[in-house]
C-alpha cells in the first residue's frame, strides 16, 4: 500500500506558509512504514525540533485504476476519514530552500496517522464535509472540502496519471490553515463531521 499526499490544496494554508499558489496539485508519497500503528503514541523524532500537525481528509482507494477520468473517480473509493500528515517543518524548510525532495521531512516513521473510516454515503455531499483537529481539547484546525482547490475526484484523476491506484492506497488531500508545532504530552483528536476518528498521544 502507498500513501499519496497532496500539498497546497487550501488557499489559507498556502498563505500561512507563504508558498506559491500551484497551477497543478503538489504531490508527494509516504511509504507504508510511515503509518502510525493503531494505539501507538507519536514519538517526536530526534532529527526535528518543529514537528507540525496537518489534519487532512483522507480517501481509501477501493479499485485498481490508471488514467481515471474525473467523472468516474467516485467509483474508485467508498470510504473517507481524517488523518495527520506530520511534518518536520524545520527540516522541510531546509530541503525546500535547496530544492531537494521532502521525503525526510514528510515520510518518516509514524508520520501518517490514519483514522477510522466511514462510508462516503454517510455524507450528503463530499464537497461539503467539515473536519477538525483538537489539541488538548481545543480546536486548532478546521477545514471543509468545499475550500479545496482541487476536489477529491479531480485529485484521483490527476494522481492516477502518474501512479496506478491500488486497493488500500490512501490519498491525503491537503491541510487547511492552522498547522502548528506538537509537544510532548499533547493529545490530538481528529473529527469528521463531529465523528471522532482518531486520538493520538504525543511523546
Ligand atoms: Mg499535508
Amino acid at each position: 500500500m502507498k500513501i499519496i499526499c497532496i500539498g497546497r490544496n487550501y488557499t489559507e494554508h498556502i498563505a500561512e506558509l507563504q508558498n506559491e499558489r500551484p497551477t497543478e496539485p503538489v504531490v508527494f508519497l509516504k511509504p507504508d512504514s510511515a503509518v502510525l500503528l493503531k494505539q501507538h503514541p507519536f514519538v517526536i523524532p530526534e532529527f526535528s525540533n518543529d514537528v507540525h500537525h496537518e489534519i487532512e481528509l483522507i480517501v481509501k482507494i477501493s479499485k485498481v485504476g490508471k488514467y481515471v477520468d474525473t467523472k468516474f473517480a467516485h467509483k474508485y473509493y467508498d470510504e473517507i476519514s481524517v488523518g495527520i500528515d506530520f511534518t518536520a517543518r524545520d527540516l522541510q524548510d531546509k530541503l525546500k530552500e535547496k530544492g531537494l525532495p521532502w521525503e525526510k521531512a514528510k515520510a518518516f516513521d509514524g508520520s501518517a496517522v490514519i483514522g477510522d473510516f466511514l462510508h462516503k454515503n454517510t455524507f450528503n455531499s463530499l464537497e461539503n464535509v467539515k473536519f477538525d483537529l483538537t489539541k488538548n481539547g481545543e480546536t486548532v484546525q478546521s477545514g471543509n472540502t468545499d475550500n479545496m482547490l482541487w476536489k477529491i475526484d479531480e485529485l484521483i484523476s490527476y494522481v492516477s496519471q502518474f501512479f496506478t491506484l491500488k486497493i488500500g492506497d490512501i490519498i491525503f488531500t491537503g491541510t487547511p490553515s492552522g498547522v502548528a508545532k506538537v509537544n510532548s504530552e499533547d493529545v490530538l483528536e481528529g473529527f469528521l463531521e463531529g465523528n471522532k476518528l482518531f486520538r493520538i498521544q504525543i511523546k
Side-chain angles (χ1 to χ4, degrees), residues 140-191:
V140 289
Q141 286 192 270
S142 283
N144 190 308
T145 53
D146 184 39
N147 295 320
M148 288 176 157
L149 295 178
W150 288 277
K151 307 298 183 195
I152 295 171
D153 291 3
E154 292 170 320
L155 292 173
I156 285 176
S157 175
Y158 183 80
V159 299
S160 74
Q161 297 176 80
F162 304 95
F163 313 113
T164 298
L165 302 175
K166 291 188 164 182
I167 295 168
D169 287 351
I170 307 282
I171 301 179
F172 276 64
T173 60
T175 196
S177 60
V179 301
K181 182 179 178 176
V182 295
N183 292 294
S184 179
E185 302 311 318
D186 283 344
V187 173
L188 301 179
E189 293 179 307
F191 297 85

Side-chain angles (χ1 to χ4, degrees), residues 58-60 77-82 115-123 126 129-130 191-197:
I58 64 175
V59 178
K60 189 195 280 181
Y77 63 100
D78 296 322
E79 296 178 304
I80 64 172
S81 185
V82 281
D116 298 329
F117 282 88
L118 295 176
H119 199 278
K120 65 181 180 184
N121 294 349
T122 313
F123 309 95
L126 294 185
V129 178
K130 186 179 181 308
F191 297 85
L192 188 56
E193 288 290 353
N195 301 285
K196 192 200 291 187
L197 301 181

Side-chain angles (χ1 to χ4, degrees), residues 5-7 13 28 54 56 85 87 106 174-175:
C5 301
I6 306 302
H13 173 63
F28 58 96
E54 295 191 357
E56 310 198 2
D85 165 22
T87 303
K106 283 280 198 184
T175 196

Side-chain angles (χ1 to χ4, degrees), residues 1-3 30-37 107-112:
M1 150 288 193
K2 60 184 171 296
I3 301 170
K30 295 188 192 238
D32 57 5
S33 50
V35 175
L36 184 66
L37 299 175
F108 55 86
D109 288 358
S111 63

Side-chain angles (χ1 to χ4, degrees), residues 36-42 82-84 86 113-116 133-134 136-137 185-191 195-202:
L36 184 66
L37 299 175
K38 294 269 179 206
Q39 318 295 341
H40 281 231
F42 173 78
V82 281
I84 297 178
F86 276 122
V113 172
I114 294 173
D116 298 329
L133 180 72
T134 65
N136 308 323
E185 302 311 318
D186 283 344
V187 173
L188 301 179
E189 293 179 307
F191 297 85
N195 301 285
K196 192 200 291 187
L197 301 181
F198 66 74
R199 180 184 190 278
I200 303 295
Q201 169 90 53
I202 309 294

